[in-house]
Amino acid sequence: MFYLSALLFGLAAGATNQGILSLFQQKFTGDGTYYGHTDTGMCQYNPPSLPPAALSPKIKYTVALNKPQFQDSFGCGMCFKVHGSGKGSGNSPITGDFFVFANNLCPECHAGSLDFAVSGDGRWNIEIQAVQCPVGNTKIEYKFQGTNPYYIKLQVRNARIPVTEAEMMQGGHYVSMKHTADGFWELSNGHQVDQTGGVPVKLTAANGDTVTDIIPNLNNNVVLHGKNQVQFKLDPSLPTA
């Protein structure tokens, strides 16, 4: 049973990686629409704790990503290059090239489409492609929700490339965590996580890059910075902001 579970987990992770990487490797056309100014969303990057990448001067807007490419919230925290032709209908045309940060889900949007978190009017032709987020010198961050030593719900924030596998130290070895629909990682198997000197985690990005870090404690609802101060390497094979 263990080997079957591991095989199924590996197949699911592989499909997720391919789905994420396809957003970097291709350009997609769709509609750009508006849903009004707000910094909150499905991904729960609630102010004042937006990740540094979202606050980069390179990022023009936060957006809601269409449901097919949101990929059950693996799209949370991704960055995209948008090209707007100005063609469409309404009073607020989307024009030019700029970068956006995905912090929400647009349930009714089709693949290639974004809903912009600003006031505007109309439906406009856009082209989108995922890019490595403009994290600069900032590091991966963490935030717990409803967590105790026997139940972990962890948000991994500000990753240059989306995290598609998260593991946490338990009983002296890393245990895989389950990704949740709201973009967190969950561990709930009835065993206590290791906390001596902090909570060790291993994170793997969609391109296979892996980092290990130590989260200092299990404090809930605050942004935490890892002791190892890690970030995924810039991947020369993927576009970047």
Side-chain angles (χ1 to χ4, degrees):
M1 181 63 70
F2 172 80
Y3 294 107
L4 177 59
S5 298
L7 175 60
L8 293 175
F9 180 84
L11 291 173
T16 299
N17 290 341
Q18 187 53 50
I20 293 293
L21 290 177
S22 71
L23 299 179
F24 288 90
Q25 295 162 347
Q26 303 174 49
K27 296 178 180 179
F28 301 86
T29 57
D31 297 323
T33 51
Y34 301 95
Y35 70 101
H37 178 75
T38 177
D39 289 321
T40 61
M42 167 82 77
C43 301
Q44 299 191 56
Y45 300 127
N46 297 333
S49 63
L50 286 169
L55 302 174
S56 165
K58 292 185 176 182
I59 297 295
K60 189 172 183 180
Y61 303 117
T62 58
V63 298
L65 182 60
N66 65 82
K67 186 175 182 179
Q69 294 172 324
F70 192 67
Q71 301 192 58
D72 294 325
S73 79
F74 280 99
C76 283
M78 289 189 70
C79 298
F80 291 85
K81 182 178 181 180
V82 179
H83 171 73
S85 66
K87 297 179 181 179
S89 61
N91 298 312
S92 308
I94 298 173
T95 61
D97 297 310
F98 53 91
F99 299 106
V100 298
F101 179 89
N103 74 331
N104 205 355
L105 166 67
C106 178
E108 68 276 10
C109 291
H110 300 294
S113 298
L114 299 174
D115 207 7
F116 290 77
V118 290
S119 296
D121 171 69
R123 184 175 297 274
W124 305 93
N125 299 338
I126 60 171
E127 180 182 80
I128 67 171
Q129 183 176 20
V131 295
Q132 296 174 85
C133 281
V135 296
N137 294 323
T138 63
K139 310 304 179 184
I140 293 174
E141 300 176 340
Y142 310 93
K143 194 174 184 180
F144 290 106
Q145 184 182 92
T147 288
N148 60 63
Y150 294 92
Y151 171 77
I152 305 295
K153 188 176 182 183
L154 171 67
Q155 183 185 68
V156 180
R157 308 152 45 90
N158 201 51
R160 189 193 306 273
I161 301 168
V163 173
T164 55
E165 184 178 359
E167 301 166 84
M168 184 168 284
M169 188 71 73
Q170 192 178 66
H173 62 278
Y174 284 110
V175 176
S176 294
M177 306 181 75
K178 178 184 177 181
H179 199 250
T180 67
D182 55 355
F184 283 70
W185 293 91
E186 194 175 58
L187 181 60
S188 178
N189 58 12
H191 300 290
Q192 189 172 355
V193 299
D194 299 349
Q195 296 183 72
T196 303
V199 184
V201 291
K202 181 191 292 185
L203 309 173
T204 304
N207 66 340
D209 191 15
T210 298
V211 296
T212 56
D213 206 352
I214 300 174
I215 306 173
N217 53 59
L218 295 178
N219 288 351
N220 286 301
N221 303 316
V222 294
V223 176
L224 301 169
H225 298 91
K227 293 184 177 183
N228 293 350
Q229 293 288 288
V230 298
Q231 182 60 263
F232 295 122
K233 299 185 294 292
L234 191 65
D235 187 334
S237 72
L238 302 177
T240 188

